[in-house]
Amino acid sequence: MPWYTRDLPAPYERGLRDPRETLEQREQRLTRRVSERHGVTHEVAARALRRVVAGLRSGVARFDATEYGFASAADRSSALLDSPAGMAKLLAAEAWSCRPLEEVDLAEPLHSIQRHIRHSLVAHNLFHPEKKPALRDEVVGDPDYDPLRDLEAVESTWPESQDYDFLRHSCFLRTRHGQMMVVDGHHRVATGLLLSKTFILGRILHQTDLE
């Protein structure tokens, strides 16, 4: 069963981990890994890991984004822009691809345009930063399962679109009222907040640019 429990391994887990490793030893190993990969202290890494594990053990797949540090959370349907045409423009690749990467202050209130955050995707970002999530839900966020194992077989059949290369980083919208909205990459932002990072690299659009 999952890496965060004492249950017997699931079929996909066989060979991934040393069966003699205790849960406590695994937690220590993973804490060191998060600390090293994100450049944070052992204490910060341990706190982040405990938070994600508690969410995974709760049996509730998703929590409200505010529980991961967002100032507010609302479904995309709650209009950010005044017109459907404006929203379509906001979601278009050409609106973002020319935008430079900037440091976005994580101390500023950040507002999510999606209601929920998945614990497994935050775990993925803790253990596999800079990698796309695995394709199967049961392995997403597993620290010892390389997500590229599934992705390489699928993505080798077609070239990756350069149009959407901007999605490698989070996307933000500064509203006309000054609020900073997270448009894409919510789980990356949630991970940064969880690790007490001061900033995250992302691309910023201003609402006035879309009008």
Side-chain angles (χ1 to χ4, degrees), residues 17-206:
R17 288 178 273 276
D18 185 342
R20 298 167 297 179
E21 181 182 56
T22 66
L23 191 58
E24 290 74 18
Q25 290 171 332
R26 185 176 306 154
E27 289 172 354
Q28 287 300 310
R29 172 172 66 86
L30 296 178
T31 297
R32 288 194 300 272
R33 178 169 162 183
V34 171
S35 174
E36 292 168 359
R37 295 198 173 183
H38 292 276
V40 298
T41 66
H42 185 89
E43 291 72 21
V44 168
R47 185 174 65 244
L49 188 58
R50 285 195 300 269
R51 176 67 184 83
V52 169
V53 167
L56 290 167
R57 287 176 177 167
S58 72
V60 180
R62 305 178 299 171
F63 273 14
D64 191 282
T66 57
E67 302 222 17
Y68 270 101
F70 289 88
S72 69
D75 292 332
R76 187 184 298 271
S77 58
S78 62
L80 279 176
L81 302 178
D82 296 331
S83 69
M87 180 59 82
K89 191 172 181 180
L90 174 66
L91 300 178
E94 55 267 24
W96 298 96
S97 55
C98 61
R99 297 287 167 167
L101 283 176
E102 303 180 48
E103 291 185 359
V104 178
D105 185 2
L106 290 179
E108 176 180 357
L110 299 175
H111 302 269
S112 171
I113 69 166
Q114 69 180 43
R115 175 72 64 186
H116 297 106
I117 294 295
R118 287 178 57 190
H119 310 301
S120 60
L121 284 173
V122 177
H124 166 81
N125 283 310
L126 285 177
F127 302 129
H128 306 289
E130 310 303 325
K131 289 185 178 181
K132 294 180 181 179
L135 296 177
R136 293 181 291 144
D137 281 345
E138 67 268 25
V139 298
V140 171
D142 190 304
D144 299 309
Y145 189 94
D146 186 352
L148 293 180
R149 180 191 296 189
D150 297 332
L151 292 171
E152 285 174 346
V154 174
E155 294 186 344
S156 63
T157 60
W158 71 84
E160 184 173 355
S161 171
Q162 296 302 308
D163 292 342
Y164 289 89
D165 189 61
F166 70 90
L167 292 177
R168 293 180 184 275
H169 295 88
S170 297
C171 298
F172 301 84
L173 175 74
R174 176 74 73 183
T175 72
R176 68 169 67 92
H177 304 297
Q179 287 187 329
M180 186 69 89
M181 314 292 293
V182 183
V183 176
D184 192 81
H186 295 77
H187 291 88
R188 296 190 193 99
V189 174
T191 305
L193 292 168
L194 194 59
L195 293 169
S196 302
K197 294 282 189 173
T198 57
F199 70 89
I200 187 172
L201 289 177
R203 290 182 167 84
I204 303 174
L205 272 177
H206 292 264

